């Protein structure tokens, strides 16, 4: 009798151990299943997000592959690391080359029914205006393209920090050169290729000294605009150096006077969009963020609201 009960006790212990093991393995199985299901849901969400993002001007077979890496790289983690993502890896950026081609052909129509506005700000960063522009963009979760002057970046620590903030906030950085002196860059209104390329490189070097060795940008805006000068000798040199130049097709007119009111700037932009007479799926909007352009910063919210009311989304140029 004693022997029998001993066997039962011994086996009960074994049964209990087996039961515990069974319960644990069931738990692990369901946890695993739940995890995988969650992963699948996230993957599907990501994919539809990316599918929405992929609407390049030309169809791209490798879009899905790119999309995965875009999703991985365009994360908040990069904000802390000051990583300037390339066009391929930036969810908010479009290929500036496509926009350059559009500007050269004066054709701003898209075939996908979308309307895209590229807000561009030249001549900064400045101590009194750039910060307000960055804040308005942030509140609206709108990304813009800043055509930065290397000489302004160099001026103070505040301006260096502003350049960093542009990158951390996911904006695109274009190069507006260093000296911004028409008589040096375009003597007799003819662009000097060597001087101009060296000026762009000097500006990029300044930006690199602030943003780190990994930074580079091939998107430039010529001071005064490419359209304003004889660029016959310059164009092949720009191409050889891999530059993409971006002019504009609309503006708020802040370069025309420092005394413009908010209302005047908004109306000037509305007028310049009307002037496109429906050839307006893509807007490249010229504005400035120097200290003298406080009204530009003050008008930005109204401009964003107006463009949204017309159905535009905001993207950047890289
Ligand atoms: Zn300028």
């Amino acid at each position: 009798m004693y022997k029998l009960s001993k066997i039962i006790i011994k086996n009960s212990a074994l049964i209990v151990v087996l039961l515990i093991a069974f319960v644990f393995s069931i738990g692990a199985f369901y946890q695993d299943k739940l995890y995988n299901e969650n992963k699948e849901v996230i993957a599907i969400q990501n994919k539809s997000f990316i599918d929405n993002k992929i609407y390049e001007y030309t169809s791209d077979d490798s879009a899905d592959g790119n999309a995965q890496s875009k999703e991985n790289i365009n994360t908040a983690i990069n904000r802390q690391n000051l990583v300037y993502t390339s066009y391929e890896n930036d969810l908010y950026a479009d290929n500036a080359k496509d926009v350059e081609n559009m500007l050269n052909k004066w054709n701003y129509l898209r075939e996908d029914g979308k309307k895209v506005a590229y807000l561009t700000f030249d001549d900064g960063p400045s101590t009194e205006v750039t910060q307000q522009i960055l804040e308005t963009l942030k509140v609206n979760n709108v990304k813009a393209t800043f055509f930065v002057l290397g000489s302004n970046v160099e001026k103070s620590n505040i301006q260096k920090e502003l350049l960093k903030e542009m990158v951390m906030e996911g904006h695109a950085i274009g190069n507006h050169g260093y000296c911004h002196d028409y008589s040096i860059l375009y003597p007799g209104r003819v662009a000097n290729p060597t001087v101009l390329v060296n000026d762009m490189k000097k500006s990029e070097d300044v930006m690199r000294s602030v943003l780190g060795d990994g930074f580079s940008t091939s998107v430039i805006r010529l001071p005064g605009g490419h359209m304003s000068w004889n660029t016959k000798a310059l164009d092949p040199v720009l191409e050889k150096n891999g530059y993409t130049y971006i002019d504009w097709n609309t503006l708020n007119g802040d370069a025309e006077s420092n005394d413009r009111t908010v209302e005047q700037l908004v109306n000037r932009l509305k007028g310049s969009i009307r002037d496109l007479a429906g050839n307006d799926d893509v807007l490249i909007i010229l504005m400035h963020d120097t200290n003298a352009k406080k009204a530009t910063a003050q008008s930005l919210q109204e401009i964003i609201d107006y463009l949204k009311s017309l159905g535009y989304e905001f993207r950047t140029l890289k």
Side-chain angles (χ1 to χ4, degrees):
M1 190 62 199
Y2 170 76
K3 215 174 179 181
L4 185 67
S5 62
K6 204 177 166 191
I7 286 166
I8 288 168
I9 288 164
K10 208 175 158 190
N11 282 345
S12 308
L14 188 68
I15 286 162
V16 168
V17 167
L18 282 173
L19 261 174
I20 289 169
F22 180 70
V23 166
F24 264 100
S25 66
I26 291 277
F29 172 75
Y30 275 103
Q31 213 165 23
D32 226 37
K33 194 164 177 296
L34 201 67
Y35 173 70
N36 282 330
E37 276 169 3
N38 273 341
K39 241 175 39 179
E40 222 167 286
V41 169
I42 290 165
I44 289 164
Q45 280 169 348
N46 281 345
K47 190 170 183 308
S48 69
F49 175 52
I50 286 154
D51 284 346
N52 282 336
K53 184 258 180 287
I54 302 294
Y55 60 88
E56 320 298 348
Y57 300 105
T58 52
S59 70
D60 179 0
D61 288 340
S62 64
D64 266 337
N66 284 344
Q68 207 51 55
S69 62
K70 280 181 200 224
E71 177 60 18
N72 290 339
I73 293 169
N74 200 296
T75 62
I77 297 162
N78 286 338
R79 292 162 50 80
Q80 279 136 36
N81 294 339
L82 251 190
V83 173
Y84 189 69
T85 51
S86 64
Y87 144 68
E88 290 87 352
N89 297 322
D90 188 333
L91 289 167
Y92 299 101
D94 287 329
N95 187 350
K97 205 74 188 170
D98 292 333
V99 174
E100 184 198 76
N101 291 335
M102 283 188 135
L103 282 163
N104 285 337
K105 289 176 188 160
W106 298 62
N107 176 7
Y108 318 119
L109 295 178
R110 296 175 61 107
E111 288 173 2
D112 58 4
K114 287 184 185 261
K115 284 177 168 285
V116 178
Y118 301 96
L119 302 176
T120 71
F121 298 95
D122 288 10
D123 299 350
S126 69
T127 50
E128 289 167 44
V129 168
T130 304
Q131 185 66 55
Q132 196 185 340
I133 286 174
L134 286 169
E135 279 164 18
T136 304
L137 293 171
K138 188 177 179 137
V139 166
N140 290 274
N141 192 27
V142 164
K143 309 297 176 192
T145 305
F146 288 86
F147 286 96
V148 166
L149 274 180
S151 49
N152 273 345
V153 172
E154 232 174 31
K155 273 183 188 156
S156 72
N157 282 336
I158 292 174
Q159 280 143 301
K160 291 186 181 89
E161 289 305 313
L162 286 165
L163 177 66
K164 286 185 196 171
E165 201 178 325
M166 289 171 188
V167 172
M168 288 190 288
E169 289 298 326
H171 302 298
I173 308 294
N175 192 348
H176 199 39
Y178 186 89
C179 75
H180 208 283
D181 186 329
Y182 297 165
S183 66
I184 294 171
L185 300 171
Y186 321 108
R189 302 197 69 82
V190 180
N192 182 321
T194 311
V195 170
L196 204 132
V197 167
N198 284 341
D199 192 69
M200 287 293 167
K201 285 186 173 159
K202 187 175 177 184
S203 176
E204 197 180 6
D205 283 344
V206 173
M207 292 190 249
R208 201 173 285 124
S209 73
V210 174
L211 297 172
D213 290 341
F215 174 80
S216 71
T217 178
S218 59
V219 182
I220 65 171
R221 176 168 281 158
L222 300 191
H226 181 273
M227 62 181 98
S228 306
W229 317 103
N230 177 339
T231 59
K232 213 175 153 192
L234 175 66
D235 287 341
V237 177
L238 291 183
E239 200 177 327
K240 202 183 108 201
N241 282 273
Y243 286 120
T244 300
Y245 60 84
I246 297 290
D247 278 358
W248 55 89
N249 63 359
T250 39
L251 42 77
N252 68 352
D254 64 355
E256 292 154 6
S257 162
N258 288 339
D259 304 320
R260 291 278 187 267
T261 63
V262 167
E263 195 187 356
Q264 285 171 324
L265 294 179
V266 173
N267 284 336
R268 183 77 169 92
L269 177 66
K270 288 179 180 178
S272 76
I273 296 171
R274 269 197 306 274
D275 288 346
L276 293 175
N279 181 18
D280 62 1
D281 294 340
V282 173
L283 303 180
I284 303 102
I285 303 168
L286 174 69
M287 294 179 280
H288 296 80
D289 63 325
T290 56
N291 283 341
K293 311 299 179 186
K294 293 185 179 62
T296 293
Q298 288 156 9
S299 67
L300 187 56
Q301 184 62 57
E302 204 176 327
I303 282 175
I304 288 171
D305 292 341
Y306 177 67
L307 293 168
K308 277 186 180 169
S309 77
L310 296 179
Y312 286 95
E313 60 179 287
F314 300 89
R315 299 187 56 77
T316 66
L317 296 163
K318 281 191 172 179

